[in-house]
Amino acid sequence: MTKPEAKQPPSITYRDSGVDIDAGNALVSAIKPLAKATRRPGADADLGGFGALFDLKQAGFKDPILVAANDGVGTKLKIAIDTGQHATIGIDLVAMCVNDLLAQGAEPLFFLDYYATGKLDVDVARAVVSGIAEGCKLAGCALIGGETAEMPGMYAGNDYDLAGFAVGAVERGAILPRSDVAAGDVLIALPSSGVHSNGYSLVRRLVSEAKASWDKPAPFDGPTTLAAALLAPTRIYVKPMLKAIRETGAIKAIAHITGGGISENVPRVLPDGLAAHVDLSRWTAQPVFGWLQQVGRLDDAQMLRTFNCGVGLIAVVAQASADDVMRVLTAAGETPLRIGAIEPGSGNKTQAKGKGEAEAVRYTGTLKHTA
């Protein structure tokens, strides 16, 4: 008598290992309309190809230099994950990249994102990509591709990570910073919307120190919850600044005030032998900065090397052209502020990187915060 065949165990599928291809396909279908809404001259293809195409000639460039930037959102992402508020974190991702392109004088053309998680939640991912699409519209660039990675075992619980990659272009003769930055030039600042996307490891530590709750009113912002206040998205300065660059021809350099604050970022656009004089009395920072400074017992120097302190971007402009630049920025809906000037000094971008603000940026006055 023959023995019955042994029953084979069921096959182990990709889904059994934690990766859901169907969920990935559902996400692609959900975000196609979002990407389509960001189309611009030069970018007409749909999502789904192995690569994304962009036509520089169709975008109107004659002799372009390509400029690329990539970045993430840092631990601000952890607040979004812990509170389930994902709608604006994608704007931060785009802003961190396109504002850096702007600092080279470049117009952002297209953007690609990378979203990685342990288990794909289509609703969460769509909310994040919706924010990315909104950021692209604010910057005038096209969302032409990206990658979603489901990696069980790499991320715990609901954790996910984001990275962004932006490419822009600038005509060969218009690259910033220019070589004619000189003593006497004016520093024109544009306000930030708050903490933007830098210093959040310290922010989260200070929230813990203060025993504050994400879902309770922010100690510095009335009825707004602490989470909502700290998740205010990074401002995107592309459209007003490109308008000022093109209409005035007077902007010599732009510093995007990110990690390292004013102290570390302004020196990056200064030639040897020059320094920046910044008058802290020229603006009033948002209340969040006063709260962070108080809870952390931080002096002004520490604040200015960690946070943007109310200033998200600084442009260097010749004194004779400052009024013209201020006029164009104001007409574009900005609130530009003269906060200082370029002066002779021993500081330069190489020295500043290692020695901080003392040589490359000179401050007068003290930080002010609204109540």
Side-chain angles (χ1 to χ4, degrees):
M1 185 173 181
T2 59
K3 292 183 179 179
E5 291 185 7
K7 189 176 181 180
Q8 294 294 319
S11 61
I12 301 173
T13 67
Y14 209 7
R15 184 191 293 269
D16 294 329
S17 70
V19 177
D20 189 342
I21 294 175
D22 291 334
N25 291 336
L27 177 61
V28 172
S29 297
I31 65 177
K32 276 186 177 181
L34 301 174
K36 188 174 182 179
T38 69
R39 282 181 173 177
R40 52 152 294 154
D44 295 319
D46 291 323
L47 295 181
F50 287 97
L53 308 177
F54 192 92
D55 187 338
L56 280 168
K57 186 175 181 181
Q58 191 181 93
F61 287 89
K62 297 178 176 61
D63 186 20
I65 299 293
L66 292 178
V67 185
N70 71 302
D71 211 334
V73 182
T75 57
K76 184 176 186 177
L77 197 58
K78 188 64 176 166
I79 302 175
I81 294 168
D82 289 348
T83 63
Q85 299 181 42
H86 311 282
T88 61
I89 204 73
I91 298 176
D92 289 290
L93 183 67
V94 176
M96 296 303 290
C97 296
V98 298
N99 287 340
D100 279 356
L101 296 183
L102 183 63
Q104 305 289 154
E107 174 187 346
L109 302 176
F110 59 85
F111 189 87
L112 299 98
D113 67 278
Y114 176 76
Y115 178 98
T117 185
K119 181 172 178 54
L120 182 60
D121 184 319
V122 174
D123 291 336
V124 170
R126 188 190 184 283
V128 172
V129 177
S130 180
I132 293 171
E134 178 62 23
C136 286
K137 286 189 280 188
L138 291 170
C141 66
L143 176 58
I144 63 173
E147 176 71 11
T148 301
E150 193 172 24
M151 299 188 289
M154 285 289 290
Y155 298 91
N158 298 321
D159 284 355
Y160 62 87
D161 200 7
L162 286 177
F165 179 78
V167 172
V170 56
E171 295 291 358
R172 192 174 299 273
I175 299 171
L176 299 181
R178 286 169 19 184
S179 60
D180 61 341
V181 174
D185 288 345
V186 174
L187 300 176
I188 296 177
L190 296 184
S192 68
S193 57
V195 186
H196 281 187
S197 298
N198 297 103
Y200 273 82
S201 293
L202 177 56
V203 168
R204 290 168 52 246
R205 168 68 186 274
L206 296 181
V207 168
S208 176
E209 182 83 10
K211 295 180 171 55
S213 299
W214 296 123
D215 59 348
K216 294 292 192 295
F220 50 84
D221 197 16
T224 305
T225 66
L226 180 60
L230 290 174
L231 285 171
T234 306
R235 291 201 59 214
I236 293 175
Y237 299 100
V238 170
K239 291 181 178 179
M241 283 305 302
L242 284 178
K243 184 177 176 65
I245 289 169
R246 291 165 177 171
E247 290 190 13
T248 69
I251 294 178
K252 297 182 177 185
I254 293 173
H256 181 202
I257 310 304
T258 56
I262 294 173
S263 299
E264 296 288 343
N265 285 288
V266 171
R268 295 169 66 181
V269 302
L270 300 182
D272 291 357
L274 293 177
H277 170 207
V278 175
D279 184 351
L280 299 176
S281 70
R282 296 292 185 93
W283 78 93
T284 301
Q286 295 94 335
V288 60
F289 295 106
W291 183 76
L292 292 169
Q293 187 165 19
Q294 178 184 14
V295 173
R297 301 173 295 280
L298 303 168
D299 60 27
D300 282 0
Q302 291 171 310
M303 290 290 293
L304 290 159
R305 204 178 181 191
T306 306
F307 301 113
N308 67 61
C309 296
V311 170
L313 181 142
I314 296 175
V316 180
V317 180
Q319 171 70 40
S321 304
D323 287 343
D324 195 24
V325 171
M326 296 274 286
R327 175 186 58 77
V328 173
L329 289 171
T330 301
E334 288 292 340
T335 310
L337 303 164
R338 295 195 196 202
I339 65 165
I342 302 299
E343 59 185 23
S346 60
N348 60 52
K349 54 191 174 186
T350 302
Q351 292 171 325
K353 196 68 178 176
K355 300 182 182 178
E357 75 278 2
E359 293 180 335
V361 181
R362 181 172 70 89
Y363 294 106
T364 54
T366 57
L367 279 174
K368 299 187 299 179
H369 318 96
T370 51

